[in-house]
Amino acid sequence: MYEDNGVLTTGEVATRLGVGRRRVQALIQGGRLKAHRAEPAELAFLLEAQRIRSVPAAGLLLIYALDLGAVVDRPSGYPKGRPRKTNDGSNDGR
């Protein structure tokens, strides 16, 4: 039988971080957040615990809660003193 080892779905991570699921997926794709595809035993556990309603066709990514430290302890917003770029690629002088 599978035992919950502190795994979270992308939706649960998004809620904890206060961001959207797409942002979590971008963090995973960018290598800032580690994730793995759920195995059948993990899927069965999550379905039984009603943490997910169904299994997506592409599979389900799971993140260990311990790995959230890599992204939780980061400052939010755009870095101070770093100029932003405008649509034409030049700096806007902020």
Side-chain angles (χ1 to χ4, degrees):
M1 176 134 192
Y2 177 77
E3 185 177 313
D4 185 6
N5 292 327
V7 294
L8 302 168
T9 65
T10 53
E12 292 168 336
V13 170
T15 300
R16 284 193 182 194
L17 297 178
V19 298
R21 287 183 185 181
R22 289 191 182 231
R23 177 65 182 142
V24 173
Q25 291 168 348
L27 290 169
I28 292 167
Q29 289 175 348
R32 297 207 40 220
L33 188 59
K34 288 193 266 180
H36 68 277
R37 292 257 177 232
E39 297 180 11
E42 292 172 315
L43 291 171
F45 174 81
L46 293 170
L47 284 166
E48 186 176 321
Q50 296 183 352
R51 289 175 53 191
I52 59 173
R53 291 185 224 171
S54 62
V55 180
L60 184 70
L61 290 174
L62 296 178
I63 300 101
Y64 287 106
L66 294 174
D67 292 335
L68 289 183
V71 293
V72 170
D73 298 331
R74 65 176 174 76
S76 62
Y78 201 81
K80 296 260 187 236
R82 184 172 172 193
R84 294 180 184 246
K85 292 187 177 178
T86 60
N87 287 338
D88 63 3
S90 64
N91 292 335
D92 69 357
R94 284 189 201 184

